[in-house]
Amino acid sequence: MSSHGRPLPGEPDEPAEASRPAADQPGAHPTVDFSVFSVDLSSHEMLRRAHVLDALGPDWDPLAALRGEEAAYELLYSGLSAEQQRVYDELVAAGVLPRRGDGHAAA
């Protein structure tokens, strides 16, 4: 709208026209509603999980794997220098890292 209350070139003459959806306006391109498409991936997810378990093999022990992972983290955060320990403590205090071990190398 111009300062004189008249529409500017290309503006609709009435506010009702401005609120109409673009597809209803002359010369507008038609739109497609993609919400009608639905893909169920649950069977694919079950197949993916079966392949993962097959690849892990019958001897895979999830508890042993978890214990090994925890031991690796303990070793990773052990034996830190004073500067590394300071940064680690800041990250723990900020909630970025969980507290692990006592900061000393495992014997």
Side-chain angles (χ1 to χ4, degrees):
M1 224 15 103
S2 71
S3 60
H4 302 290
R6 292 187 300 252
L8 295 172
E11 284 188 341
D13 292 334
E14 297 178 21
E17 283 187 53
S19 64
R20 281 196 320 199
D24 293 343
Q25 294 178 3
H29 298 288
T31 60
V32 176
D33 181 11
F34 287 104
S35 65
V36 296
F37 295 105
S38 171
V39 179
D40 182 8
L41 297 176
S42 57
S43 63
H44 177 73
E45 177 62 16
M46 293 306 293
L47 181 62
R48 186 195 66 80
R49 288 180 186 187
H51 285 298
V52 167
L53 291 175
D54 188 43
L56 290 171
D59 297 331
W60 180 64
D61 180 0
L63 293 177
L66 183 60
R67 284 190 296 271
E69 186 175 318
E70 288 298 319
Y73 275 119
E74 293 294 329
L75 187 59
L76 177 65
Y77 295 115
S78 67
L80 302 176
S81 70
E83 176 64 14
Q84 291 169 329
Q85 187 67 49
R86 184 191 63 74
V87 171
Y88 172 77
D89 291 338
E90 286 180 11
L91 292 172
V92 169
V96 175
L97 291 175
R99 168 75 48 200
R100 293 186 183 274
D102 59 3
H104 302 290

